[in-house]
Amino acid sequence: MERRVRPLPAAYGAAALLAATFAAGVIGIEITDHTQATASWWPPAGLGALTLMLYPRRWWPYLVVALTAAYLGANVVQGRPVDAAAWLALADIAETILVASLVRYRIGRRLTSVADFGWLLGISFGAAAVAGLGVAATSARLLGGDFGPTLGATTSAHWASVMVILPLGMAPRHRTRGPAWLIAVQALVLLGASLVVFGSEGVLARAFLPLPFLIWAGVSFGYRVVVIEQVVMAALVTAATLVDKGPFAAHTEASNQLAQLYLVSVVIAGLPLALAVGELQLAAAAARNEKRRTEAIIESSTTPIMVAAADGTMLSTNPATTALTGFTATELIGRPFWEKLVAPEDWGYIRRRFSEYDKFPEHGEGIMRTASGGERIVTFASGALVNPDDSTNYVITANDITAERTSSRFLQHLFRSATTVAILGTDPSGSITLVNAGAEGMLRITQDEATGRSLLEFLDPGEVEERGRELGVMTPSFSALVADADLGSAPQTRDWTWRPPDGVELRISMTTSLVADARNRPIGYLFVARDVTETRRNQELLHQALERERAAVGHLRALDHAKDDFVSTVSHELRTPLTSIIGSIELFSDGLLGDLSPDQAHLVEVIERNAERLLALANDLLLLAAYENATPQAPFVQVDLRDVVQASTSSIMPLLTSRDLDVRAVVPEVAVRVLGDAGYLERAVTNLLTNAVKFTPDGGAITTTVGFDAESGIATLSVADTGIGIPDQELAEVFQRFFRSSNVRADAIQGTGLGLSIVSSIVESHRGTIDVASEQGEGTIFTIVLPLA
Ligand code: ADP
């Protein structure tokens, strides 16, 4: 803590100092031996300098005037002639200004070092000499003194005064203090020694006795104790000499001068030591702090820091080293640096590095072994540190980059091995920075020719312009390519036409993504492309083929329509003449046009039969055409399948007149309702029954069965016979138009082959299915399944 000399308002202090200066002047002259022309003791020199030193420079003009007045006053009060007093005051004030200005300029307000003390010694001597010259000249001219002796006495008196008093106001910041009791002991011893020396008759050699004790104070107790003791010493020496005691008691100007020089030497003995010790302690404290700071930094650093001697012996490691390697400080310290941390095969190399001082500092990448037998990849930096004793230490720091290296290896590998994918990197402006092997092969560019060129140069400008227009960018620019990526959305994929330097274009599907740094600032773009030339061409071909197919189908459908139209027109047109033919023939066969001979009757019968067949064919064709043209159906209503079977069975009754067939229907008690058109359903069942009658020889049986399954919501209607059956391999074709089985054709049983396709069309239009099972020579069963209403 620093105590400033300002317990009272500064002006009071200044006034007190001025008063003290004046009083010291009066006393100084008073106690001076009156045989002498000027005072041999001149404390005002020190007090005056102290006054200026303690106060701000803007006060100086007033202080200088006041000090001059004090000096003048003291001389005048003591009865000196005014002119002489004025000259003396002038000499004094000149000295005071010189000391204060030079000390402020050269040293500042505080004495902090031995060098400062040296300057103080020189400045105060020079200024004292200036005063001495002035005083000696005045004394010689106006007061009858001798120039030479006066010069000597005054210079030494002033010098001692400044050297003893001024340091009182220039205490350094550093403070050294011993225990109070010890200071008291030292002060008493010093006082005792001084009393012994200056209280007795003078033996000059004894004058040196107090000096070791002042030196003790300088070394042990610091500046403040020393300066105070010096002031006390000065008072004591002065007083003793005055009363003719002590080594300088001779009452001559020369002895006074000696006493004053003695005082200067007293100051030289104590004060520089105090300053030096203070400086040393400050430096030591700074060094201690520095060391603590450094240790704290090293201890808390997350970077492993190791210090090794010149021969490689580890001297210290920090906790981060343990964290990285798993070796504790005790395991590492005192052993060669490489023993634990480096693989044995590299020991020789590392040991050599340690011996090559001139290679330091160095940095690089290396591998460090860990306690668990693993390895870490590190970047290291090492520097040589030359100690004060000229030995060299090495400071080695390491940073673990294992994770970064591993992932970058992976990436490099990925980048190299991606030969079927083209990867291009660009900077934010679009100039290519990265080309992988896949890009070289697929896009037919080399790394050298592509690097540094704009990606735009390789793309079809028309497409870029087109994309630019979509985005509202007028000139085709790189931003048209990366607009999607810039918006921060997921990577976008688009087709582009690639124009490699060899001129053979290809179609690529390219995905664009933005690459950003850790702070999310864009550092470039990544383009991943696939060659889709073949794929796109195939897609195009497929598309064209489909188009053609569609056209052909349309054409066929039109043809089919035309055919159906034709068939129905022809059938229609055939029906009228056929009806007329049949009517006319009936006139013959009924004998209305006269009796026919047996031959004629036979012919008429043949004509009638064939005309009937033709009419049946025409009717069937008409019916089928009506179905296949998908004419709108009559609205479906609820139909009981039992009624359908009843009606169909009755309608085939005429066919049975000349036949011996057992025809029966098995129907449930309850109604089996489906949604449908009763007329069409009857027609379908009649067709099946007609076939059964036709293809079942006499003695056989025909059974129609109606059933239902309420749970699955279906109704079944089957027509089974015990007839000739259908050959196995032809079963699949029975529902095709104009199909007639081989056995039927062989037996020349008549038919058109249209009946079953009509049945199947009717069932389909009722959202039902029809199935057939047959065994040749055993019989056939047709089963219709319809959804229940
Ligand atoms: P059509 O009876 O006028 O020949 P269909 O379409 O009704 O025409 O029948 C096609 C063919 O299916 C018949 O010629 C016959 O060969 C065979 N077929 C149909 N029903 C039976 C059946 N119940 N038993 C044996 N064969 C049959």
PDB file of all heavy atoms in Angstrom, residues 602-628:
ATOM      1  N   HIS A 602     -88.133 -84.558 -99.516  1.00  0.00           N
ATOM      2  CA  HIS A 602     -86.812 -84.660 -98.875  1.00  0.00           C
ATOM      3  C   HIS A 602     -85.984 -83.395 -99.100  1.00  0.00           C
ATOM      4  O   HIS A 602     -85.409 -82.823 -98.158  1.00  0.00           O
ATOM      5  CB  HIS A 602     -86.085 -85.901 -99.425  1.00  0.00           C
ATOM      6  CG  HIS A 602     -84.700 -86.032 -98.901  1.00  0.00           C
ATOM      7  ND1 HIS A 602     -84.429 -86.323 -97.564  1.00  0.00           N
ATOM      8  CD2 HIS A 602     -83.475 -85.888 -99.504  1.00  0.00           C
ATOM      9  CE1 HIS A 602     -83.139 -86.331 -97.398  1.00  0.00           C
ATOM     10  NE2 HIS A 602     -82.524 -86.090 -98.584  1.00  0.00           N
ATOM     11  N   LEU A 603     -85.987 -82.912-100.375  1.00  0.00           N
ATOM     12  CA  LEU A 603     -85.207 -81.714-100.702  1.00  0.00           C
ATOM     13  C   LEU A 603     -85.692 -80.509 -99.922  1.00  0.00           C
ATOM     14  O   LEU A 603     -84.914 -79.740 -99.348  1.00  0.00           O
ATOM     15  CB  LEU A 603     -85.343 -81.426-102.213  1.00  0.00           C
ATOM     16  CG  LEU A 603     -84.164 -81.924-103.064  1.00  0.00           C
ATOM     17  CD1 LEU A 603     -84.430 -81.634-104.543  1.00  0.00           C
ATOM     18  CD2 LEU A 603     -82.884 -81.254-102.618  1.00  0.00           C
ATOM     19  N   VAL A 604     -87.078 -80.395 -99.909  1.00  0.00           N
ATOM     20  CA  VAL A 604     -87.662 -79.251 -99.183  1.00  0.00           C
ATOM     21  C   VAL A 604     -87.244 -79.317 -97.718  1.00  0.00           C
ATOM     22  O   VAL A 604     -86.865 -78.309 -97.101  1.00  0.00           O
ATOM     23  CB  VAL A 604     -89.194 -79.246 -99.318  1.00  0.00           C
ATOM     24  CG1 VAL A 604     -89.839 -78.272 -98.323  1.00  0.00           C
ATOM     25  CG2 VAL A 604     -89.593 -78.863-100.746  1.00  0.00           C
ATOM     26  N   GLU A 605     -87.196 -80.563 -97.174  1.00  0.00           N
ATOM     27  CA  GLU A 605     -86.804 -80.718 -95.762  1.00  0.00           C
ATOM     28  C   GLU A 605     -85.353 -80.260 -95.554  1.00  0.00           C
ATOM     29  O   GLU A 605     -85.029 -79.558 -94.584  1.00  0.00           O
ATOM     30  CB  GLU A 605     -86.958 -82.186 -95.357  1.00  0.00           C
ATOM     31  CG  GLU A 605     -87.046 -82.394 -93.878  1.00  0.00           C
ATOM     32  CD  GLU A 605     -86.923 -83.894 -93.554  1.00  0.00           C
ATOM     33  OE1 GLU A 605     -87.549 -84.723 -94.278  1.00  0.00           O
ATOM     34  OE2 GLU A 605     -86.173 -84.194 -92.596  1.00  0.00           O
ATOM     35  N   VAL A 606     -84.470 -80.641 -96.504  1.00  0.00           N
ATOM     36  CA  VAL A 606     -83.048 -80.223 -96.406  1.00  0.00           C
ATOM     37  C   VAL A 606     -82.947 -78.713 -96.445  1.00  0.00           C
ATOM     38  O   VAL A 606     -82.257 -78.087 -95.623  1.00  0.00           O
ATOM     39  CB  VAL A 606     -82.231 -80.862 -97.559  1.00  0.00           C
ATOM     40  CG1 VAL A 606     -80.842 -80.246 -97.616  1.00  0.00           C
ATOM     41  CG2 VAL A 606     -82.134 -82.360 -97.361  1.00  0.00           C
ATOM     42  N   ILE A 607     -83.724 -78.108 -97.430  1.00  0.00           N
ATOM     43  CA  ILE A 607     -83.668 -76.644 -97.548  1.00  0.00           C
ATOM     44  C   ILE A 607     -84.152 -75.994 -96.260  1.00  0.00           C
ATOM     45  O   ILE A 607     -83.496 -75.100 -95.714  1.00  0.00           O
ATOM     46  CB  ILE A 607     -84.541 -76.164 -98.739  1.00  0.00           C
ATOM     47  CG1 ILE A 607     -83.927 -76.644-100.059  1.00  0.00           C
ATOM     48  CG2 ILE A 607     -84.650 -74.617 -98.744  1.00  0.00           C
ATOM     49  CD1 ILE A 607     -84.850 -76.452-101.270  1.00  0.00           C
ATOM     50  N   GLU A 608     -85.259 -76.545 -95.728  1.00  0.00           N
ATOM     51  CA  GLU A 608     -85.826 -75.949 -94.514  1.00  0.00           C
ATOM     52  C   GLU A 608     -84.839 -76.030 -93.339  1.00  0.00           C
ATOM     53  O   GLU A 608     -84.583 -75.065 -92.624  1.00  0.00           O
ATOM     54  CB  GLU A 608     -87.126 -76.678 -94.133  1.00  0.00           C
ATOM     55  CG  GLU A 608     -87.898 -75.929 -93.107  1.00  0.00           C
ATOM     56  CD  GLU A 608     -89.252 -76.612 -92.806  1.00  0.00           C
ATOM     57  OE1 GLU A 608     -89.487 -77.746 -93.263  1.00  0.00           O
ATOM     58  OE2 GLU A 608     -90.038 -75.961 -92.101  1.00  0.00           O
ATOM     59  N   ARG A 609     -84.200 -77.244 -93.176  1.00  0.00           N
ATOM     60  CA  ARG A 609     -83.265 -77.432 -92.055  1.00  0.00           C
ATOM     61  C   ARG A 609     -82.093 -76.454 -92.138  1.00  0.00           C
ATOM     62  O   ARG A 609     -81.717 -75.790 -91.163  1.00  0.00           O
ATOM     63  CB  ARG A 609     -82.764 -78.879 -92.076  1.00  0.00           C
ATOM     64  CG  ARG A 609     -82.310 -79.307 -90.691  1.00  0.00           C
ATOM     65  CD  ARG A 609     -81.993 -80.799 -90.638  1.00  0.00           C
ATOM     66  NE  ARG A 609     -80.939 -81.147 -91.565  1.00  0.00           N
ATOM     67  CZ  ARG A 609     -81.039 -82.152 -92.446  1.00  0.00           C
ATOM     68  NH1 ARG A 609     -82.152 -82.878 -92.546  1.00  0.00           N
ATOM     69  NH2 ARG A 609     -80.025 -82.452 -93.250  1.00  0.00           N
ATOM     70  N   ASN A 610     -81.545 -76.321 -93.349  1.00  0.00           N
ATOM     71  CA  ASN A 610     -80.377 -75.439 -93.497  1.00  0.00           C
ATOM     72  C   ASN A 610     -80.736 -73.983 -93.331  1.00  0.00           C
ATOM     73  O   ASN A 610     -79.956 -73.184 -92.766  1.00  0.00           O
ATOM     74  CB  ASN A 610     -79.695 -75.687 -94.838  1.00  0.00           C
ATOM     75  CG  ASN A 610     -78.819 -76.937 -94.776  1.00  0.00           C
ATOM     76  OD1 ASN A 610     -77.889 -76.996 -93.971  1.00  0.00           O
ATOM     77  ND2 ASN A 610     -79.191 -77.966 -95.541  1.00  0.00           N
ATOM     78  N   ALA A 611     -81.952 -73.642 -93.823  1.00  0.00           N
ATOM     79  CA  ALA A 611     -82.389 -72.259 -93.630  1.00  0.00           C
ATOM     80  C   ALA A 611     -82.551 -71.956 -92.153  1.00  0.00           C
ATOM     81  O   ALA A 611     -82.141 -70.883 -91.654  1.00  0.00           O
ATOM     82  CB  ALA A 611     -83.693 -72.009 -94.377  1.00  0.00           C
ATOM     83  N   GLU A 612     -83.105 -72.965 -91.387  1.00  0.00           N
ATOM     84  CA  GLU A 612     -83.239 -72.791 -89.931  1.00  0.00           C
ATOM     85  C   GLU A 612     -81.860 -72.567 -89.299  1.00  0.00           C
ATOM     86  O   GLU A 612     -81.657 -71.694 -88.429  1.00  0.00           O
ATOM     87  CB  GLU A 612     -83.865 -74.028 -89.307  1.00  0.00           C
ATOM     88  CG  GLU A 612     -85.318 -74.302 -89.712  1.00  0.00           C
ATOM     89  CD  GLU A 612     -86.323 -73.533 -88.865  1.00  0.00           C
ATOM     90  OE1 GLU A 612     -85.867 -72.883 -87.884  1.00  0.00           O
ATOM     91  OE2 GLU A 612     -87.540 -73.565 -89.195  1.00  0.00           O
ATOM     92  N   ARG A 613     -80.875 -73.366 -89.744  1.00  0.00           N
ATOM     93  CA  ARG A 613     -79.527 -73.230 -89.174  1.00  0.00           C
ATOM     94  C   ARG A 613     -78.965 -71.856 -89.427  1.00  0.00           C
ATOM     95  O   ARG A 613     -78.365 -71.205 -88.556  1.00  0.00           O
ATOM     96  CB  ARG A 613     -78.581 -74.269 -89.798  1.00  0.00           C
ATOM     97  CG  ARG A 613     -78.598 -75.598 -89.060  1.00  0.00           C
ATOM     98  CD  ARG A 613     -77.576 -76.536 -89.631  1.00  0.00           C
ATOM     99  NE  ARG A 613     -76.223 -76.080 -89.448  1.00  0.00           N
ATOM    100  CZ  ARG A 613     -75.169 -76.592 -90.070  1.00  0.00           C
ATOM    101  NH1 ARG A 613     -75.337 -77.563 -90.942  1.00  0.00           N
ATOM    102  NH2 ARG A 613     -73.967 -76.144 -89.837  1.00  0.00           N
ATOM    103  N   LEU A 614     -79.156 -71.413 -90.690  1.00  0.00           N
ATOM    104  CA  LEU A 614     -78.648 -70.086 -91.042  1.00  0.00           C
ATOM    105  C   LEU A 614     -79.273 -69.023 -90.154  1.00  0.00           C
ATOM    106  O   LEU A 614     -78.594 -68.130 -89.651  1.00  0.00           O
ATOM    107  CB  LEU A 614     -78.978 -69.776 -92.507  1.00  0.00           C
ATOM    108  CG  LEU A 614     -77.905 -70.161 -93.518  1.00  0.00           C
ATOM    109  CD1 LEU A 614     -78.376 -69.825 -94.927  1.00  0.00           C
ATOM    110  CD2 LEU A 614     -76.607 -69.418 -93.209  1.00  0.00           C
ATOM    111  N   LEU A 615     -80.613 -69.184 -89.923  1.00  0.00           N
ATOM    112  CA  LEU A 615     -81.314 -68.189 -89.113  1.00  0.00           C
ATOM    113  C   LEU A 615     -80.769 -68.207 -87.675  1.00  0.00           C
ATOM    114  O   LEU A 615     -80.508 -67.163 -87.063  1.00  0.00           O
ATOM    115  CB  LEU A 615     -82.821 -68.463 -89.110  1.00  0.00           C
ATOM    116  CG  LEU A 615     -83.673 -67.428 -88.395  1.00  0.00           C
ATOM    117  CD1 LEU A 615     -83.520 -66.055 -89.066  1.00  0.00           C
ATOM    118  CD2 LEU A 615     -85.148 -67.836 -88.391  1.00  0.00           C
ATOM    119  N   ALA A 616     -80.502 -69.431 -87.133  1.00  0.00           N
ATOM    120  CA  ALA A 616     -79.970 -69.543 -85.768  1.00  0.00           C
ATOM    121  C   ALA A 616     -78.610 -68.845 -85.680  1.00  0.00           C
ATOM    122  O   ALA A 616     -78.318 -68.101 -84.736  1.00  0.00           O
ATOM    123  CB  ALA A 616     -79.833 -71.013 -85.385  1.00  0.00           C
ATOM    124  N   LEU A 617     -77.800 -69.102 -86.734  1.00  0.00           N
ATOM    125  CA  LEU A 617     -76.470 -68.487 -86.749  1.00  0.00           C
ATOM    126  C   LEU A 617     -76.585 -66.976 -86.741  1.00  0.00           C
ATOM    127  O   LEU A 617     -75.900 -66.269 -85.975  1.00  0.00           O
ATOM    128  CB  LEU A 617     -75.711 -68.980 -87.994  1.00  0.00           C
ATOM    129  CG  LEU A 617     -74.272 -68.532 -88.117  1.00  0.00           C
ATOM    130  CD1 LEU A 617     -73.425 -69.071 -86.953  1.00  0.00           C
ATOM    131  CD2 LEU A 617     -73.678 -69.005 -89.446  1.00  0.00           C
ATOM    132  N   ALA A 618     -77.483 -66.478 -87.601  1.00  0.00           N
ATOM    133  CA  ALA A 618     -77.646 -65.030 -87.681  1.00  0.00           C
ATOM    134  C   ALA A 618     -78.099 -64.466 -86.349  1.00  0.00           C
ATOM    135  O   ALA A 618     -77.570 -63.436 -85.879  1.00  0.00           O
ATOM    136  CB  ALA A 618     -78.654 -64.674 -88.777  1.00  0.00           C
ATOM    137  N   ASN A 619     -79.001 -65.175 -85.699  1.00  0.00           N
ATOM    138  CA  ASN A 619     -79.484 -64.697 -84.392  1.00  0.00           C
ATOM    139  C   ASN A 619     -78.368 -64.665 -83.355  1.00  0.00           C
ATOM    140  O   ASN A 619     -78.183 -63.689 -82.610  1.00  0.00           O
ATOM    141  CB  ASN A 619     -80.614 -65.583 -83.896  1.00  0.00           C
ATOM    142  CG  ASN A 619     -81.932 -65.221 -84.593  1.00  0.00           C
ATOM    143  OD1 ASN A 619     -82.059 -64.101 -85.088  1.00  0.00           O
ATOM    144  ND2 ASN A 619     -82.869 -66.157 -84.657  1.00  0.00           N
ATOM    145  N   ASP A 620     -77.599 -65.785 -83.311  1.00  0.00           N
ATOM    146  CA  ASP A 620     -76.493 -65.832 -82.341  1.00  0.00           C
ATOM    147  C   ASP A 620     -75.508 -64.702 -82.578  1.00  0.00           C
ATOM    148  O   ASP A 620     -75.031 -64.025 -81.649  1.00  0.00           O
ATOM    149  CB  ASP A 620     -75.770 -67.172 -82.445  1.00  0.00           C
ATOM    150  CG  ASP A 620     -76.540 -68.266 -81.685  1.00  0.00           C
ATOM    151  OD1 ASP A 620     -77.558 -67.903 -81.052  1.00  0.00           O
ATOM    152  OD2 ASP A 620     -76.104 -69.429 -81.726  1.00  0.00           O
ATOM    153  N   LEU A 621     -75.143 -64.495 -83.847  1.00  0.00           N
ATOM    154  CA  LEU A 621     -74.166 -63.445 -84.166  1.00  0.00           C
ATOM    155  C   LEU A 621     -74.671 -62.080 -83.716  1.00  0.00           C
ATOM    156  O   LEU A 621     -73.932 -61.279 -83.147  1.00  0.00           O
ATOM    157  CB  LEU A 621     -73.877 -63.429 -85.673  1.00  0.00           C
ATOM    158  CG  LEU A 621     -72.889 -64.499 -86.144  1.00  0.00           C
ATOM    159  CD1 LEU A 621     -72.807 -64.480 -87.668  1.00  0.00           C
ATOM    160  CD2 LEU A 621     -71.500 -64.248 -85.546  1.00  0.00           C
ATOM    161  N   LEU A 622     -75.943 -61.853 -83.966  1.00  0.00           N
ATOM    162  CA  LEU A 622     -76.535 -60.564 -83.590  1.00  0.00           C
ATOM    163  C   LEU A 622     -76.441 -60.362 -82.086  1.00  0.00           C
ATOM    164  O   LEU A 622     -76.033 -59.314 -81.585  1.00  0.00           O
ATOM    165  CB  LEU A 622     -78.002 -60.525 -83.994  1.00  0.00           C
ATOM    166  CG  LEU A 622     -78.310 -59.784 -85.286  1.00  0.00           C
ATOM    167  CD1 LEU A 622     -79.809 -59.845 -85.553  1.00  0.00           C
ATOM    168  CD2 LEU A 622     -77.851 -58.333 -85.182  1.00  0.00           C
ATOM    169  N   LEU A 623     -76.789 -61.449 -81.353  1.00  0.00           N
ATOM    170  CA  LEU A 623     -76.780 -61.363 -79.895  1.00  0.00           C
ATOM    171  C   LEU A 623     -75.366 -61.034 -79.382  1.00  0.00           C
ATOM    172  O   LEU A 623     -75.146 -60.156 -78.545  1.00  0.00           O
ATOM    173  CB  LEU A 623     -77.264 -62.685 -79.316  1.00  0.00           C
ATOM    174  CG  LEU A 623     -77.617 -62.657 -77.850  1.00  0.00           C
ATOM    175  CD1 LEU A 623     -78.873 -61.820 -77.655  1.00  0.00           C
ATOM    176  CD2 LEU A 623     -77.864 -64.090 -77.365  1.00  0.00           C
ATOM    177  N   LEU A 624     -74.401 -61.775 -79.927  1.00  0.00           N
ATOM    178  CA  LEU A 624     -73.018 -61.590 -79.499  1.00  0.00           C
ATOM    179  C   LEU A 624     -72.534 -60.180 -79.796  1.00  0.00           C
ATOM    180  O   LEU A 624     -71.897 -59.511 -78.960  1.00  0.00           O
ATOM    181  CB  LEU A 624     -72.144 -62.621 -80.235  1.00  0.00           C
ATOM    182  CG  LEU A 624     -70.886 -63.019 -79.506  1.00  0.00           C
ATOM    183  CD1 LEU A 624     -71.207 -63.592 -78.138  1.00  0.00           C
ATOM    184  CD2 LEU A 624     -70.126 -64.050 -80.354  1.00  0.00           C
ATOM    185  N   ALA A 625     -72.840 -59.711 -80.995  1.00  0.00           N
ATOM    186  CA  ALA A 625     -72.405 -58.370 -81.379  1.00  0.00           C
ATOM    187  C   ALA A 625     -72.991 -57.353 -80.429  1.00  0.00           C
ATOM    188  O   ALA A 625     -72.305 -56.419 -79.997  1.00  0.00           O
ATOM    189  CB  ALA A 625     -72.831 -58.074 -82.811  1.00  0.00           C
ATOM    190  N   ALA A 626     -74.248 -57.589 -80.073  1.00  0.00           N
ATOM    191  CA  ALA A 626     -74.890 -56.650 -79.161  1.00  0.00           C
ATOM    192  C   ALA A 626     -74.111 -56.593 -77.845  1.00  0.00           C
ATOM    193  O   ALA A 626     -73.829 -55.526 -77.302  1.00  0.00           O
ATOM    194  CB  ALA A 626     -76.317 -57.085 -78.896  1.00  0.00           C
ATOM    195  N   TYR A 627     -73.699 -57.789 -77.337  1.00  0.00           N
ATOM    196  CA  TYR A 627     -72.931 -57.818 -76.094  1.00  0.00           C
ATOM    197  C   TYR A 627     -71.594 -57.146 -76.228  1.00  0.00           C
ATOM    198  O   TYR A 627     -71.157 -56.356 -75.397  1.00  0.00           O
ATOM    199  CB  TYR A 627     -72.731 -59.264 -75.646  1.00  0.00           C
ATOM    200  CG  TYR A 627     -73.714 -59.620 -74.575  1.00  0.00           C
ATOM    201  CD1 TYR A 627     -74.896 -60.270 -74.882  1.00  0.00           C
ATOM    202  CD2 TYR A 627     -73.454 -59.234 -73.260  1.00  0.00           C
ATOM    203  CE1 TYR A 627     -75.820 -60.559 -73.907  1.00  0.00           C
ATOM    204  CE2 TYR A 627     -74.372 -59.512 -72.283  1.00  0.00           C
ATOM    205  CZ  TYR A 627     -75.558 -60.181 -72.592  1.00  0.00           C
ATOM    206  OH  TYR A 627     -76.454 -60.454 -71.633  1.00  0.00           O
ATOM    207  N   GLU A 628     -70.873 -57.519 -77.287  1.00  0.00           N
ATOM    208  CA  GLU A 628     -69.496 -57.060 -77.385  1.00  0.00           C
ATOM    209  C   GLU A 628     -69.418 -55.577 -77.665  1.00  0.00           C
ATOM    210  O   GLU A 628     -68.410 -54.949 -77.416  1.00  0.00           O
ATOM    211  CB  GLU A 628     -68.768 -57.866 -78.459  1.00  0.00           C
ATOM    212  CG  GLU A 628     -68.878 -59.341 -78.141  1.00  0.00           C
ATOM    213  CD  GLU A 628     -67.569 -60.068 -78.169  1.00  0.00           C
ATOM    214  OE1 GLU A 628     -66.796 -59.795 -79.099  1.00  0.00           O
ATOM    215  OE2 GLU A 628     -67.335 -60.880 -77.255  1.00  0.00           O
TER     216      GLU A 628
END
